[in-house]
Amino acid sequence: MDFLSVNPPQDFEIVDPGYLGYLCLQWQPPLFLDKFEECTVEYELKYRNIDSEDWKTIITKNLHYNDGFDLNKGVEAKIHTLLPPHCTNGSEVQSLWSEATYWKSPQGSQETKIQEMDCVYYNWQYLLCSWKPGLGVHFHTSYQLFYWYDGLDHATQCPDYIKVDGQNIGCRFPHLEASDYKDFYICVNGSSDSHPIRPSYFIFQLQNIVKPLPPDYLSLTVKNSEEVNLKWSMPQGPIPAKCFIYEIEFTEDDTTWVTTTVENEIRIARISNESQQLCFLVRSKVNIYCSDDGIWSEWSDEQCWKDDIWKETLVFFLTPFAFVSLFVLLVTCLLLYKQKAVLKMIFQRKKEVFSHQDTFC
């Protein structure tokens, strides 16, 4: 039986369409494929960033495949042809590997790249990114930010830069239509009269960098001597209620502990029914059902309950005193009323005597 073999794909290459890291791996069918006309040819594609330990593997019948890469590093890929067993007397036939690499042409030293890039998607509505200039760069260095995600025709420059002393150190993004749950690509490059600036590339998904608003309208209700009910309103904005997780910091006198819940209400057992002060605050984050990660909101304002013992003591002593005072007042009014009636009777008798004397005269 003749030994079956198949050639590797032709013209394998990695193409950069200008989408800041979203690359196209493409190839042509192998030579002499016509003798396998009854077979459905497949291709096994492996690719990775060069410093990565793990290959990503794809089996496809197509002649291209797209994915995102970190362009701060090189890219390598390899592909070979697969013939299924039903075409080859029960054994799978593989070609040799065809390999390709891709590097962005390096420019500028590593120190000229921006530092401490930080992007936050505030309340799932407004994206803001900020950075610090590279080390040793001239203060006249001009940085530009470009971004792209699937749905945009081309990479777009930041329309609203944040500036300090005339230098771009951040970007306020416009409304990003249909950008969730997609890779979001950013490149920050620069120009300087003194030396070239090395670009920096970033990839993330917006739902994983959301920072919600803090909850508000907190309420703390002491149900009884053993239990406290904590409640708050869901943060305002477009984030669905099912997407929140809350962290509660609860303080009873000098004891503080932290717990989490996906509801906007929780009951907590008191340590002691003689505690003098109960306080809590809460913050929110997008939970694992709506994102892979997230950023905690700021803490809410603190809500407290105080057990005013001095008022209870005062009431304890004042209540009997009030009853005694009321009794004394009633007795005094009764005595005054009786005294008034006696005086009225005496006055009436004197009037009658004087009237009798006048008649006698």
Side-chain angles (χ1 to χ4, degrees):
M1 182 177 66
D2 294 335
F3 177 76
L4 291 176
S5 65
V6 64
N7 290 311
Q10 300 182 84
D11 303 326
F12 181 45
E13 61 179 341
I14 303 173
V15 178
D16 185 354
Y19 295 152
L20 312 180
Y22 187 70
L23 304 181
C24 178
L25 293 79
Q26 60 187 34
W27 55 94
Q28 295 299 321
L31 293 172
F32 310 118
L33 198 59
D34 52 348
K35 63 181 179 179
F36 301 106
E37 290 180 354
E38 302 300 322
C39 290
T40 301
V41 176
E42 294 181 332
Y43 305 97
E44 182 179 18
L45 172 67
K46 292 178 176 287
Y47 59 91
R48 65 181 180 182
N49 277 112
I50 285 180
D51 68 341
S52 174
E53 296 182 359
D54 300 321
W55 293 88
K56 290 185 178 180
T57 301
I58 299 296
I59 305 293
T60 180
K61 300 174 184 177
N62 299 322
L63 296 176
H64 63 86
Y65 188 79
N66 298 331
D67 204 352
F69 296 87
D70 180 0
L71 293 189
N72 297 300
K73 309 163 186 175
V75 177
E76 60 180 342
K78 56 184 181 180
I79 189 171
H80 63 187
T81 310
L82 302 177
L83 295 180
H86 70 270
C87 297
T88 57
N89 298 324
S91 61
E92 185 178 69
V93 174
Q94 303 178 357
S95 74
L96 298 176
W97 290 100
S98 180
E99 299 181 351
T101 59
Y102 178 78
W103 291 85
K104 290 292 288 185
S105 300
Q107 58 178 350
S109 64
Q110 186 75 14
E111 291 75 18
T112 62
K113 294 175 62 173
I114 62 166
Q115 304 177 78
E116 300 181 27
M117 179 68 158
D118 182 47
C119 293
V120 179
Y121 199 24
Y122 288 98
N123 210 34
W124 214 312
Q125 292 176 300
Y126 313 105
L127 178 62
L128 189 147
C129 291
S130 61
W131 60 84
K132 291 183 179 180
L135 297 174
V137 299
H138 196 272
F139 67 90
H140 283 153
T141 299
S142 175
Y143 289 104
Q144 296 87 36
L145 180 146
F146 294 85
Y147 66 95
W148 182 86
Y149 61 90
D150 188 14
L152 297 182
D153 295 332
H154 54 80
T156 303
Q157 185 172 182
C158 172
D160 185 12
Y161 284 108
I162 302 168
K163 298 177 180 287
V164 171
D165 297 328
Q167 189 177 62
N168 297 339
I169 55 90
C171 175
R172 300 181 188 91
F173 290 76
H175 175 66
L176 301 169
E177 187 71 32
S179 58
D180 302 335
Y181 302 100
K182 299 176 180 179
D183 285 339
F184 194 92
Y185 299 85
I186 286 180
C187 172
V188 181
N189 58 25
S191 60
S192 173
D193 295 336
S194 58
H195 46 69
I197 305 298
R198 180 168 295 192
S200 297
Y201 295 90
F202 307 90
I203 308 174
F204 48 79
Q205 293 198 353
L206 295 183
Q207 75 277 358
N208 295 332
I209 57 170
V210 170
K211 182 176 182 178
L213 293 173
D216 52 13
Y217 302 110
L218 278 64
S219 67
L220 189 158
T221 306
V222 179
K223 291 289 188 179
N224 50 54
S225 61
E226 299 179 351
E227 192 176 63
V228 180
N229 183 258
L230 311 178
K231 192 173 182 179
W232 54 90
S233 294
M234 187 184 78
Q236 298 180 359
I239 305 175
K242 65 180 181 180
C243 288
F244 282 111
I245 184 172
Y246 302 98
E247 185 174 71
I248 302 97
E249 183 180 285
F250 181 76
T251 302
E252 183 172 352
D253 291 338
D254 297 327
T255 303
T256 299
W257 68 93
V258 176
T259 187
T260 58
T261 179
V262 294
E263 305 293 336
N264 66 328
E265 184 175 8
I266 190 172
R267 292 182 178 180
I268 293 181
R270 296 175 66 176
I271 297 175
S272 169
N273 58 9
E274 297 180 357
S275 51
Q276 305 302 304
Q277 180 170 284
L278 306 172
C279 293
F280 85 105
L281 32 78
V282 61
R283 60 180 180 173
S284 60
K285 188 174 81 166
V286 178
N287 62 35
I288 60 173
Y289 302 106
C290 297
S291 70
D292 295 328
D293 201 357
I295 303 172
W296 284 108
S297 73
E298 301 298 323
W299 286 103
S300 67
D301 293 334
E302 189 177 54
Q303 180 70 22
C304 290
W305 172 88
K306 292 184 179 181
D307 187 8
D308 295 324
I309 289 184
W310 68 271
K311 289 186 178 180
E312 295 181 0
T313 304
L314 188 61
V315 169
F316 178 80
F317 285 105
L318 286 181
T319 301
F321 178 77
F323 280 112
V324 171
S325 298
L326 181 60
F327 177 75
V328 171
L329 180 62
L330 290 174
V331 171
T332 303
C333 290
L334 183 61
L335 291 175
L336 289 175
Y337 177 79
K338 288 184 175 182
Q339 184 179 18
K340 182 178 179 182
V342 171
L343 291 174
K344 184 177 181 182
M345 183 179 63
I346 294 173
F347 177 77
Q348 186 66 31
R349 287 182 177 179
K350 286 183 177 182
K351 185 176 180 181
E352 290 177 356
V353 171
F354 287 138
S355 176
H356 179 72
Q357 289 177 350
D358 288 343
T359 304
F360 180 77
C361 291

